[in-house]
Amino acid sequence: MRRRLRGGFLGSPQTLTMVMAGSLVVSVLAGSCTASQAPAGLARTAQAICGGPAAGGTAGPAAPRAAIRVDQGGYPAGAGKLAEIMTSGRRPGPPGWLLVRGAPCTITSTGTASRDLGRWSRRYPAVWQISFSGVKATGWYRIGLADDPSIVSPWFEIAPAQSLYARPLANALAYYQAQRDGPGYLRSPLRTAPAHLADSRAMTYRTPAMNASGNFAGSLSRYATGRRINASGGWLDAGDYLKFTGTISYAAAVMLQGSVSFPGQMGAGAPASFLAEARFGLDFLQRMWDQRTRTLYYQVGIGEANSRYAGDHDLWRLPQADDHYAGTDPRYRYIRHPPVLRAGPPGTPVSPNLAGRLAAGFALCYRVFRGSDPGYANRCLRSAETVYVLAGTHWRGPLLTAAPFSSYPEVGWQDDMMLGATELALALRAAPAGRLPSGLPVRSPATYLRQAAAWARQWVTGPQASYDTLNLYDVSGLAEYELARALGQQQVSGLAINRAGLVAALGARLTAAIQIARKDPFGLGFAWDQYDTAAHGAGLSVMAHEYTALAGPGGSSGWAQHWLDAILGANAWGVSFIVGDGSVFPHCPHNQFANLAGSLDGRPPVLAGATVEGPNAFASRGAVTGMRPCAARAPGGVPYPVFSGHGAVFADSVQSYSTVEPGIDLTVLTPLAFAWQVAAAHGTVPPP
């Protein structure tokens, strides 16, 4: 997988406002009359809407004159409910619509969109927003056009948030379970055997000299350190079979923070608890960090190699094939025995981005497991403090992320250090009196809070402050929230930034996102023509909830729902970018075992819970021997290119890693966003 972050927020946001574009004239039919009780013409229209195509849209490959986009994951009963209608022209005027409830077919609302949200593309110069927030009754619903009942939305559910997001949370957990590597894999229709068992005695190497594509000259032998380690386990990174300390530490930290903050949705009290999965990731990280020698290993496997050797990206196969791939053929030696790359000699400074997020994950490990497994928790805390101390805070040159760097080109690191210091402070504060493990460099939470505030000050006054949203490349959206809460609960002197400054910084970035959203008919606060659009939508939803929790009612929770809507189907393509969530989702993800062992039509087995890249400026092409192609289309069988716009395209093709490759970093924000939705709806948000 190769992803580059391009573009970002522009301008200097001033104040956070909650102005959602669009208005609607709605008439709710009295008495929830059924279609048979309504006027004859309206009743026939409702019946036609109820009996329309299962996936919505039109029955055929031609571009429809209109398309209705909804959140296919559903709407919490008490939340705002918005949808969009794309039309091929602005005349004869705003479209009328009906909202029907199924089984039996019941007309719930009718309305006429009264505001054009703007141009999406040449083919669809008008997008109309409709609202049905007053509808709260549990059930399955569909929207259809009043003048053409053949144009319908997919069916969607309105239900209490806890019920609505139970399956998406379980799906997200199932995705990580499917991505497990090594002997601890979990058997499923997609995963039928363990893989990469040779990783238990893997040779380690210094990072080889390579070009921007990852090609190196000759053999890796001259880079071998002579030391073997156990690098088994961990999660397979994306559609390939590489494993990275950077992405696994990020995913584990987000999982753990969600488990601590929302025990009923992600933690010990959840039907789909992420604790065992987070520990699986932590176990791998403890193997990649040698506490005794102070050595960090950052990558297992190589994506590219050269004409003499094959790299991971040269093959398309099930993961278990690697252990004995091509017998003893030397060309495939790095497939059978993936190399482990060392970050630097023992005891040398660690790239601060990796040091910060590793420290955060290990510190959260202590908070989560100190009661159930104190020995393991103490080991995590010692590792957290040690790796934090070794952070190279005078780092020069590119940060260490992956080899090649272009795979994950991170440019900022103060956000990682802010998160690491904050979680260390919270871990020390959570320790029972007199029960901290021995040998810790720092034992005072206040020390880490001062350091976290110093990193925060550097971040919010630096060039990255308004550039990005919460995602792999920028964890400040999580760090600012955690630090603001910590400072609200403990008074510390000598801080470089106070709680109000942190809340303001978080609000400023949301204001920047809202400014972008107002220029997009579908209201995403991040450009559609960039990498990681789906993950950015989930990150924005999390940040909006965080800001509301810190700043109080009237914040941005309405946008939190709207940004989830956008990635779950309320977008130009009418597709949910999370596999298995909604009725229309990617059928052809760029994932090897999903492609080879799964279905190609959306029926089980699928890689449920996987968040894919989403729309991008381009749809990549390039077949690898063994790929199973499929011709996935938008609702109604319409080709996805029909709905391209704003410089963005979406292709549901196994070749298109740029739009439908899932990844562990892309997916981890979705369960956190769902947990926030449930907590906000039920009044169980952590206190500010």
Side-chain angles (χ1 to χ4, degrees):
M1 176 171 63
R2 307 185 191 109
R3 290 188 269 118
R4 289 189 294 274
L5 186 67
R6 298 180 294 106
F9 291 151
L10 300 175
S12 177
Q14 300 299 321
T15 58
L16 181 64
T17 58
M18 271 298 300
V19 181
M20 298 294 287
S23 60
L24 177 71
V25 178
V26 181
S27 61
V28 179
L29 300 183
S32 296
C33 64
T34 64
S36 61
Q37 296 170 323
L42 199 60
R44 286 192 294 271
T45 300
Q47 290 290 351
I49 291 171
C50 287
T58 59
R65 73 171 183 87
I68 305 172
R69 304 312 194 200
V70 298
D71 183 333
Q72 297 171 29
Y75 299 86
K81 302 172 185 70
L82 302 174
E84 291 81 27
I85 302 175
M86 306 167 62
T87 61
S88 58
R90 290 185 171 88
R91 295 182 179 181
W97 54 271
L98 279 74
L99 176 69
V100 300
R101 185 179 178 186
C105 184
T106 304
I107 300 174
T108 301
S109 301
T110 66
T112 302
S114 59
R115 184 177 176 185
D116 180 359
L117 299 180
R119 177 188 181 92
W120 172 252
S121 66
R122 191 172 185 179
R123 181 175 276 120
Y124 294 104
V127 178
W128 308 86
Q129 186 180 77
I130 65 175
S131 171
F132 47 101
S133 298
V135 180
K136 302 180 185 297
T138 298
W140 285 88
Y141 294 82
R142 167 180 270 183
I143 299 170
L145 290 190
D147 67 345
D148 187 350
S150 70
I151 297 178
V152 295
S153 75
W155 288 98
F156 59 87
E157 188 177 12
I158 295 176
Q162 188 158 348
S163 169
L164 193 69
Y165 294 113
R167 181 176 175 183
L169 280 163
N171 282 348
L173 176 60
Y175 166 74
Y176 286 95
Q177 292 171 334
Q179 293 291 118
R180 283 190 177 200
D181 196 29
Y185 91 108
L186 297 177
R187 178 174 285 274
S188 71
L190 297 180
R191 298 293 310 279
T192 57
H196 305 120
L197 300 181
D199 285 355
S200 62
R201 289 193 73 255
M203 177 57 69
T204 62
Y205 299 82
R206 293 176 289 112
T207 302
M210 58 177 60
N211 64 20
S213 297
N215 297 113
F216 55 88
S219 163
L220 291 179
S221 299
R222 68 180 184 274
Y223 298 100
T225 68
R227 177 175 174 78
R228 294 184 180 273
I229 68 166
N230 178 4
S232 64
W235 299 301
L236 302 169
D237 187 61
D240 50 32
Y241 298 146
L242 305 179
K243 296 181 290 189
F244 299 104
T245 296
T247 54
I248 291 177
S249 59
Y250 166 73
V254 174
M255 276 186 201
L256 290 165
Q257 194 275 340
S259 299
V260 169
S261 299
F262 308 106
Q265 287 75 53
M266 295 181 67
S273 172
F274 282 75
L275 292 182
E277 207 55 35
R279 179 154 181 171
F280 186 82
L282 288 167
D283 288 346
F284 173 79
L285 295 173
Q286 287 283 15
R287 290 190 280 271
M288 297 296 279
W289 167 249
D290 189 325
Q291 173 72 4
R292 184 182 64 83
T293 64
R294 307 319 197 241
T295 308
L296 177 65
Y297 302 94
Y298 71 97
Q299 179 170 322
V300 182
I302 49 170
E304 310 295 334
N306 51 45
S307 59
R308 183 177 171 187
Y309 296 102
D312 181 89
H313 296 162
D314 295 320
L315 308 174
W316 198 259
R317 74 286 187 198
L318 292 173
Q320 59 264 35
D322 286 2
D323 285 302
H324 304 286
Y325 198 93
T328 59
D329 187 337
R331 172 172 171 75
Y332 301 98
R333 63 178 295 186
Y334 301 127
I335 301 298
R336 295 187 297 270
H337 300 282
V340 176
L341 301 185
R342 190 184 70 181
T348 55
V350 174
S351 188
N353 56 316
L354 293 183
R357 66 185 53 177
L358 267 174
F362 286 147
L364 280 158
C365 165
Y366 177 79
R367 291 171 65 192
V368 170
F369 295 108
R370 64 182 175 80
S372 60
D373 192 342
Y376 185 79
N378 288 346
R379 179 185 170 195
C380 280
L381 188 55
R382 290 191 186 97
S383 295
E385 291 216 13
T386 305
V387 73
Y388 180 87
V389 167
L390 283 176
T393 56
H394 299 286
W395 196 267
R396 296 184 178 222
L399 296 171
L400 184 61
T401 57
F405 176 71
S406 58
S407 294
Y408 289 104
E410 190 174 10
V411 295
W413 56 267
Q414 289 87 352
D415 58 323
D416 298 290
M417 292 296 289
M418 178 187 4
L419 183 62
T422 300
E423 297 301 347
L424 276 165
L426 292 171
L428 293 179
R429 196 170 69 189
R435 298 285 297 275
L436 281 171
S438 60
L440 296 179
V442 175
R443 305 178 75 84
S444 167
T447 299
Y448 282 122
L449 287 177
R450 291 189 187 96
Q451 292 182 17
W455 296 127
R457 180 67 181 174
Q458 288 189 31
W459 181 264
V460 302
T461 58
Q464 296 284 314
S466 296
Y467 180 78
D468 204 357
T469 72
L470 177 58
N471 73 109
L472 172 70
Y473 300 98
D474 181 352
V475 298
S476 63
L478 185 62
E480 289 164 351
Y481 168 73
E482 289 280 82
L483 182 54
R485 289 188 66 233
L487 295 182
Q489 297 164 11
Q490 179 175 344
Q491 297 299 314
V492 179
S493 61
L495 296 176
I497 191 171
N498 60 18
R499 185 180 186 276
L502 292 164
V503 176
L506 186 60
R509 290 201 295 156
L510 285 169
T511 299
I514 291 170
Q515 289 177 348
I516 292 174
R518 288 185 182 138
K519 299 175 183 178
D520 169 24
F522 295 95
L524 187 67
F526 192 80
W528 288 107
D529 61 345
Q530 301 188 57
Y531 276 96
D532 302 4
T533 46
H536 279 90
L540 280 168
S541 182
V542 170
M543 290 171 63
H545 276 302
E546 291 173 341
Y547 183 79
T548 299
L550 294 172
S556 53
S557 57
W559 285 99
Q561 176 68 50
H562 189 62
W563 285 323
L564 266 188
D565 295 345
I567 68 173
L568 285 168
N571 54 65
W573 298 269
V575 60
S576 166
F577 301 123
I578 306 176
V579 176
D581 293 354
S583 54
V584 182
F585 53 81
H587 293 172
C588 274
H590 184 86
N591 176 284
Q592 295 181 71
F593 61 80
N595 177 255
L596 294 173
S599 79
L600 302 181
D601 58 9
R603 290 179 291 184
V606 297
L607 190 57
T611 299
V612 302
E613 288 278 359
N616 207 328
F618 72 107
S620 56
R621 295 183 180 181
V624 179
T625 301
M627 279 183 172
R628 296 170 63 207
C630 69
R633 293 172 178 260
V638 183
Y640 279 115
V642 164
F643 303 111
S644 297
H646 279 224
V649 301
F650 178 76
D652 187 5
S653 164
V654 67
Q655 295 185 31
S656 185
Y657 66 82
S658 60
T659 61
V660 288
E661 183 173 25
I664 62 172
D665 64 296
L666 301 176
T667 298
V668 76
L669 289 175
T670 56
L672 186 59
F674 299 146
W676 267 108
Q677 290 285 94
V678 176
H682 293 275
T684 56
V685 170

